Every structure is written in structure tokens, then in C-alpha cells.
Amino acid sequence: MILFEPDRDRKRAPSLVDQAAGALERAIRERRLRPGMVLPSVRQFARDHGVSTFTVMAAYNRLVAQGLLQSRPGADFRVARRRRAVGAPPATWVPPRIGPTWLLSDVFADHSISIKAGCGWLPPDWHNEAGLQHALRQLGRVPVSQMASYGHPLGYHPLREHIAHRLGEHGLEAGAGQILLTHGATQALDIVVRTLLRPGDHVAVEQPCYANLLQILALSGVVVHGVPRTPEGVCEQTLERLVREHPVRAVFVTTVLQNPTGATFTMAGAFRLLQMAERHAFVVVEDDVSRDLLLEPAPLLAALAGTGRVVYVSGFAKSVMPSMRVGYLLCSEELLGQCARTKMSLGLTSAEMMERAVYHVLRDGRHGTYMRGVRERLRQAHDQVCEAMVQSDFEIYAEPGAGLFLWARSRHPPSGTEGAVGLAARALEAGIWLAPGAYFDPEGRDEGWFRFNVAYSGHPRLWRFFRDAARAPRRAGPQALR
């Protein structure tokens, strides 16, 4: 049986092992190779398809590892017989129950929602596939001996050097020795919290703010105070009153394209926050994961004040790919040593293989062109979604024209006491994922706001849902997340 004709174009075609394994897998799934059927011997398959026995053996072994083939030492290969689960009922789709647990964890494994207006990442088909594949091929050429150990506690040195160089272009002068690579920017925030703070310490966060930060702070046992986020920065009067009344140790802010509002600090707002930090001796933790999505320059607090007063956190989920899980923090060398010990205590070193892959992506000449394309697509998405919001009579908090997020609410919410949380639960039944503002509020207040990811929010069915909800009676439900 001839299953495929080998394509030997090394630049265009997959490897011969990939071609052979793919052809076998298709034949099994199409039942041309049925359960229990014996496959040709390695030598016979190699002769029939004009490939080496090494290629065939590697393909066969790959399918054994996937459970599609079975083999015994010295015996033949045959198609595996699939076992049926006794008494297992047929799988049916059940709308998930919305809540903070679903939003922060279960949603990442939930592929049942067709319109993901509330998610926090770029669409899969927007990613730099060519650059990522090239990086993985480069990684495959690295000798195993160079990656067999745990790696350096601070992370892969060439990537740290590259980050230092890129930050220098933004006016932040720092060396690779001040950078700690982490398992995503969220872990970087967790490390900072565990290193700087103790249970009972007072901190300030933006209101609304990054939802995962609220969970990190809750686990740490600190006292959290919300400070209203404004389009220019944070409400200085509220923060000034707060630091006079409480011994605030740290203030957490997102400088540009804030999650969830999309707002960016003005230069004046940045200077006033840093002046207040100097007067009251608190640390500013700057979350800056979306700077690569900006269309024009914006303040960078760590460059304005230095690492003596600011701890800088960023990552590559928005500019490379979320599943790479590579982030970093930058701070003074003294604090960095403490953060490195915290990192090692939590989970030893970070994943050098992923750090190497990110490094290759960033060094690839196509990455700059790719990011320019992403920024342009997001600009167009902002225009489209803002127009849909205007037609649906929504109040828009800010119109950044860049980044992933818009923060908005209907001017004509349904009557009753359902709130945004209840409306989000109704949306799930219609296959729409919404992110209600209560999940981003340190006090769990539900004031009708939603976070919209513009890359996923252009679907007409989303806005029909809101228009229909405004006309329909609203069900009773929770008014706030407690």
C-alpha cells in the first residue's frame, strides 16, 4: 500500500519523518488502516516509499508514543485497538458557570465559546507563524548538552542582554544583571509581591486593574486599596489621601494600554505619580506588557525614575505568543538578588528552552514587520468596534486606537438588578464570552462595565445580543462579586 509520495523540497516541505507519520495517521483516522491491522515491515515500507529505514522507524515510533500504533520487542507494528470507556455517557456541551475561577483559569481550557470578546490575547491566526517555526527549527539544532541542566537562575543570558538593549532604546539604562526572567509576567508580579511584601502590608492598585494581580495580592494577605484609574494615570487626590492615612508600601500601575481600560499615562501623570512616590517613600511596580502594541511613544516610569524607586515588569505574551510563558522583571541589583531567591524557592529556574525560542523570534528580521502589521490590524479593529459601540449607544471609557482592550458599558442597561455579571452569564448561554468589570475591581463593584478585546469583538452577533438584552427584561442576579 502506497500512502504518500515523498516531497524532498527541504525549504518548503515538512521533514520525511513528518510526512511518513502524517500519512500513517491520516490512513488510521480514515480507517484505511483498521484497528489490529499489521503494518508493512520497516524495510518494506522504506522500499515502497523510497525513504530510509531510519525515517520509517522514527515515524512508527512516533505513532506508538501517540497511542495509534502498538509494538512489542522483536514483533511487528500494528494499528492500536481503541478501548471504549464502559458506561461513559456521550459528551454534551454544557454552558460553563461564569465566575472568577472560570475567568482566571477554566477559560483557558474552554474551547466551546465561539465569540471570545472578553479574552486577553491575540487571535491564533494573527501570530508570526513563520518566525515561530524558524525559531523552533533553530532550537532543534542546539545540542542537548547545552540545555540539559536547569539553566541560570536569572534566565538565558543572551535574551537578558537583548531585553537590556531594547529597554535602552526607550531610555531605560540597565544591564543584563538587573533582569530576571520568569514564567510569564504574572509570575514576575507574584515574585515581586512575595519578595517586597508581608501579610498586613498596605498596597494600592488601580481601580479597575489586572484581575490576576488581585488574586496574587489576596493570596499574599496584604491590605489592598483601590485608586481610581483616569485616562491620564491615577487619581492623585485619592492616592495622596490614602498614603497619608495608611503606610502604603507599594503602588501597582500599568503605564500603557492598561488592562482592562486601554488607557495610557500622560507624561504629566507619570511625573506626578513618581514625585508622590519620592515624597512618601513607596515603591512603584510598573506592569508594562503591552508597550510593543503602542502606535506612538509613551512614558516609561522606570526610565524616568530609575530602578531605585520603580520595579519594572513585562513579558512577551502580547508580542510573541502567550504559550511561550516568558516574562521578566527589572529592578535594583540588591532587590534582584532577593527576587532570584524567591523565584528559585517557588520553582527553581524558568524554562530556558522557551527563553531561547523567544530570543530567536525577537532576533529574527521578520519580527519588526510582524509587529507593525499587528499594530495596524488592532488600529483597524479599534475603529470597527468603536463604531459598533456608538451604534449600540455604549459609553466608552477611552479610545486609545491601539492595544487589545476597550472598557465600555451600555447607556441603556436592561432594567432590574442583574448587573454585568448576570448579563455575562446570559451571554455564555448564547456562546459569547464577556468579561464583566466586577472581576477587575478590588471591591468587586458591578457598575455595568465590560472589558472588550477588539480583536474578537467585531462580530455582529455580539452587538445584536446587547441590543436584544437592552430591550428584554433583566433577570435578578448578583450585583457585585464578593
Side-chain angles (χ1 to χ4, degrees):
M1 178 185 293
I2 304 299
L3 296 177
F4 75 107
E5 290 293 334
D7 187 340
R8 302 181 187 277
D9 186 336
R10 294 188 177 183
K11 293 184 178 179
R12 179 178 59 83
S15 71
L16 291 175
V17 174
D18 288 339
Q19 293 181 51
L24 285 163
E25 182 175 353
R26 286 192 298 275
I28 292 170
R29 298 203 184 280
E30 293 168 4
R31 298 185 70 79
R32 287 182 285 133
L33 293 175
R34 302 178 68 81
M37 184 180 291
V38 176
L39 268 65
S41 70
V42 171
R43 292 183 184 277
Q44 184 64 49
F45 191 101
R47 284 195 298 267
D48 290 346
H49 295 85
V51 295
S52 70
T53 56
F54 170 83
T55 295
V56 181
M57 196 66 183
Y60 279 10
N61 284 334
R62 180 182 297 182
L63 297 184
V64 169
Q66 294 175 5
L68 296 175
L69 296 182
Q70 293 175 333
S71 175
R72 297 187 306 276
D76 47 36
F77 289 86
R78 61 182 62 218
V79 181
R81 297 184 184 276
R82 298 202 172 188
R83 297 178 180 177
R84 296 183 178 180
V86 178
T92 57
W93 183 78
V94 177
R97 181 172 182 149
I98 195 167
T101 300
W102 182 80
L103 179 71
L104 297 175
S105 59
D106 296 345
V107 68
F108 295 106
D110 192 334
H111 301 288
S112 62
I113 308 302
S114 57
I115 300 177
K116 301 179 177 64
C119 77
W121 51 83
L122 289 170
D125 60 353
W126 284 34
H127 288 296
N128 180 13
E129 183 174 354
L132 289 164
Q133 289 181 344
H134 176 72
L136 294 175
R137 285 195 296 270
Q138 292 290 105
L139 189 63
R141 297 188 180 102
V142 178
V144 173
S145 60
Q146 294 185 18
M147 298 189 295
S149 67
Y150 279 102
H152 195 281
L154 298 186
Y156 185 52
H157 188 265
L159 178 56
R160 290 188 286 121
E161 284 189 323
H162 182 84
I163 292 169
H165 174 74
R166 290 291 304 275
L167 291 176
E169 296 175 349
H170 293 287
L172 176 50
E173 298 295 333
Q178 290 179 260
I179 296 171
L180 176 70
L181 299 183
T182 61
H183 188 70
T186 299
Q187 192 201 40
L189 288 170
D190 187 34
I191 289 171
V192 171
V193 168
R194 290 172 183 263
T195 305
L196 279 180
L197 304 172
R198 296 293 177 266
D201 284 346
H202 291 256
V203 301
V205 300
E206 298 165 310
Q207 194 168 21
C209 75
Y210 176 45
N212 287 67
L213 174 61
L214 295 176
Q215 303 301 312
I216 291 170
L217 294 172
L219 290 172
S220 71
V222 301
V223 181
V224 179
H225 303 274
V227 177
R229 174 76 191 217
T230 72
E232 294 77 31
V234 294
C235 179
E236 293 140 20
Q237 293 80 10
T238 301
L239 182 57
E240 183 72 43
R241 183 172 63 253
L242 178 64
V243 296
R244 291 185 182 279
E245 295 175 354
H246 303 281
V248 172
R249 292 209 58 199
V251 175
F252 293 80
V253 297
T254 301
T255 322
V256 302
L257 302 175
Q258 193 234 16
N259 181 358
T261 66
T264 293
F265 267 74
T266 63
M267 189 62 74
F271 271 120
R272 288 194 291 268
L273 173 62
L274 294 173
Q275 288 169 347
M276 197 180 306
E278 198 64 37
R279 287 198 308 271
H280 297 282
F282 58 75
V283 173
V284 177
V285 181
E286 179 179 19
D287 183 348
D288 195 34
V289 296
S290 295
R291 186 167 295 270
D292 284 340
L293 303 180
L294 279 171
L295 292 172
E296 54 190 33
L300 196 159
L301 302 182
L304 296 173
T307 55
R309 183 60 61 195
V310 179
V311 176
Y312 181 83
V313 169
S314 190
F316 301 100
K318 305 295 187 287
S319 59
V320 178
M321 195 164 63
S323 63
M324 289 292 190
R325 306 310 306 138
V326 177
Y328 63 94
L329 65 90
L330 184 150
C331 56
S332 66
E333 292 187 11
E334 178 183 0
L335 179 58
L336 191 88
Q338 299 173 37
C339 288
R341 287 192 289 274
T342 302
K343 170 188 169 180
M344 296 295 288
S345 298
L346 291 174
L348 297 177
T349 58
S350 40
E352 185 177 309
M353 291 184 68
M354 291 297 96
E355 293 165 0
R356 284 175 178 264
V358 167
Y359 174 70
H360 286 302
V361 170
L362 298 177
R363 296 274 294 175
D364 188 275
R366 292 166 285 198
H367 188 67
T369 302
Y370 159 72
M371 287 307 304
R372 286 191 290 273
V374 168
R375 289 191 287 268
E376 175 60 22
R377 292 180 77 171
L378 286 173
R379 185 194 64 76
Q380 295 174 8
H382 271 271
D383 291 344
Q384 178 188 4
V385 175
C386 281
E387 178 62 26
M389 288 179 172
V390 169
Q391 293 178 0
S392 300
D393 203 11
F394 266 59
E395 175 187 356
I396 305 173
Y397 174 83
E399 296 186 32
L404 290 177
F405 302 122
L406 283 171
W407 186 245
R409 61 183 174 184
S410 175
R411 298 182 190 277
H412 305 287
S415 60
T417 59
E418 183 181 43
V421 174
L423 190 59
R426 262 207 280 169
L428 278 179
E429 298 173 2
I432 297 171
W433 169 19
L434 298 176
Y439 299 152
F440 304 90
D441 191 286
E443 298 175 10
R445 298 181 305 176
D446 187 347
E447 298 180 336
W449 295 98
F450 291 94
R451 183 190 74 179
F452 292 91
N453 181 335
V454 297
Y456 287 88
S457 298
H459 202 292
R461 185 154 63 89
L462 171 66
W463 302 104
R464 284 199 301 272
F465 169 81
F466 277 112
R467 289 193 291 271
D468 292 345
R471 292 192 292 265
R474 186 162 57 169
R475 308 170 189 175
Q479 186 130 13
L481 177 69
R482 297 298 180 189

